[in-house]
Amino acid sequence: MKKAQAMHSPWLVKENLPQYLQLMRLNRPIGSLLLLWPTLWGLWLAAEGVPHLGLLVIFVLGVVFMRAAGCVINDFADRKVDGHVKRTAQRPLATGKLQVREAKTLFALLCTASFILVLFTNKLTIMLSVGGLALASCYPFMKRYTHLPQVVLGAAFSWGIPMAFAAQTGAVRPEAWLVYTAVVIWTVVYDTFYAMVDRDDDLRIGVKSTAILFGDQDRVITASLQVITIVTLILVGQRFELGQLYYLSLMGAAALFMYQQYLIRNRDRDACFKAFLNNNWVGCVIFVGIVADYALR
């Protein structure tokens, strides 16, 4: 009896370590990368190519911690429906391998670690971090009430941009919100691809998403949003006076967007997931363009 109770103790991490890692999605780094790239865009743009090393470490670690926290709260919110979705049926809370109190403890620890990191920045960044936590915490519940949870996710995934400007310069330039807008739109696109994977299951259990909202027009709308993303990023280049290498990276991103549209042409589950994963390269290509442009000036 004591052994059974010990196995469900939130403090006994050793025995349940694989389940905790799965709950935080540390075995699937794609979410961390998709959160990291725009944060690095913001940091490099704010610092004009030479970010403070300490801030770079803080933001990279913060991305890892907050993405993990977001996954934990997401699985907490979805614990009663994940078991009915093929892709998520084996998640630790859905199977009962971890308990709700363990998830809550882990979420609190991750948020605390992230907040400690922010304390090494400045007052404005600390204030902005509260908004980031609010967005990350409420996103998982939005799919119950609106067909636009992807927009809320975009707002959360883009929040590192104003925080990076605040930490690096002590202020958030108006141009930073242009970068923020581009990333929100881009996030809606790739998370719609992600939602297309689960669309049939979501319709059956009553979960809302842009994939359901867009319906048969999903390809047209996501393609249009991709065009808007590129146009917005062109405006970013103009406002930050970036050069040819940056615009070459946008050409690479546009090519990747076209490839993603090719992948989803038949709305096959595996192909839609592959299109979602491909957005890692979009973020990477644009980051390389920003870094190279500043480095070779």
Side-chain angles (χ1 to χ4, degrees):
M1 181 70 176
K2 291 183 178 179
K3 183 178 180 181
Q5 290 176 344
M7 289 296 289
H8 289 92
S9 170
W11 305 109
L12 193 59
V13 178
K14 183 178 179 181
E15 288 80 354
N16 287 335
L17 183 59
Q19 303 303 324
Y20 284 111
L21 295 178
Q22 185 180 349
L23 184 62
M24 293 186 289
R25 302 291 197 282
L26 294 184
N27 58 327
R28 300 193 177 198
I30 180 63
S32 295
L33 291 170
L34 289 172
L35 179 57
L36 178 64
W37 293 127
T39 302
L40 293 179
W41 299 356
L43 199 57
W44 250 257
L45 290 169
E48 297 183 352
V50 189
H52 189 281
L53 180 58
L55 290 178
L56 180 59
V57 173
I58 287 171
F59 275 90
V60 170
L61 290 176
V63 161
V64 174
F65 291 155
M66 283 309 299
R67 188 264 177 160
C71 291
V72 173
I73 195 66
N74 181 77
D75 284 12
F76 168 76
D78 290 347
R79 65 192 184 281
K80 295 181 180 179
V81 298
D82 276 345
H84 301 284
V85 179
K86 180 179 179 182
R87 184 179 54 81
T88 61
Q90 297 305 311
R91 287 180 175 174
L93 291 179
T95 60
K97 292 178 180 178
L98 288 179
Q99 303 302 306
V100 168
R101 60 177 179 173
E102 293 173 302
K104 289 180 178 179
T105 300
L106 183 58
F107 177 71
L109 289 173
L110 289 167
C111 291
T112 300
S114 300
F115 188 68
I116 290 172
L117 288 172
V118 175
L119 291 177
F120 288 95
T121 59
N122 56 39
K123 183 178 179 180
L124 178 58
T125 311
I126 293 170
M127 293 173 62
L128 286 170
S129 71
V130 177
L133 176 60
L135 286 168
S137 299
C138 74
Y139 156 69
F141 301 94
M142 291 297 101
K143 64 190 76 172
R144 308 288 189 278
Y145 306 104
T146 174
H147 281 93
L148 298 172
Q150 282 68 30
V151 176
V152 181
L153 180 68
F157 265 43
S158 308
W159 202 250
I161 294 168
M163 287 184 63
F165 274 85
Q168 182 69 48
T169 68
V172 182
R173 294 171 52 181
E175 293 86 350
W177 296 109
L178 192 60
V179 186
Y180 180 86
T181 300
V183 177
V184 170
I185 298 169
W186 173 42
T187 305
V188 171
V189 172
Y190 67 66
D191 204 50
T192 298
F193 295 157
Y194 191 73
M196 288 169 69
V197 178
D198 298 331
R199 179 157 46 192
D200 293 341
D201 291 327
D202 288 346
L203 282 168
R204 178 169 48 83
I205 62 179
V207 171
K208 299 177 175 63
S209 71
T210 49
I212 293 172
L213 178 66
F214 296 163
D216 292 340
Q217 299 302 311
D218 48 7
R219 292 181 59 196
V220 173
I221 295 174
T222 55
S224 299
L225 292 174
Q226 286 172 326
V227 171
I228 295 172
T229 300
I230 294 297
V231 171
T232 308
L233 288 172
I234 290 172
L235 296 176
V236 168
Q238 294 174 351
R239 296 297 293 270
F240 285 92
E241 299 181 349
L242 300 176
Q244 292 182 349
L245 292 177
Y246 170 74
Y247 291 108
L248 282 174
S249 75
L250 294 189
M251 292 177 62
L256 290 168
F257 282 163
M258 288 188 283
Y259 173 59
Q260 291 164 19
Q261 288 297 321
Y262 172 77
L263 287 174
I264 69 166
R265 67 193 185 283
N266 296 320
R267 301 181 177 87
D268 175 75
R269 282 178 178 247
D270 291 339
C272 289
F273 189 67
K274 187 175 181 180
F276 161 74
L277 294 174
N278 186 258
N279 281 275
N280 173 50
W281 295 109
V282 174
C284 179
V285 164
I286 295 173
F287 176 62
V288 169
I290 292 172
V291 172
D293 187 77
Y294 279 117
L296 297 179
R297 284 187 178 186

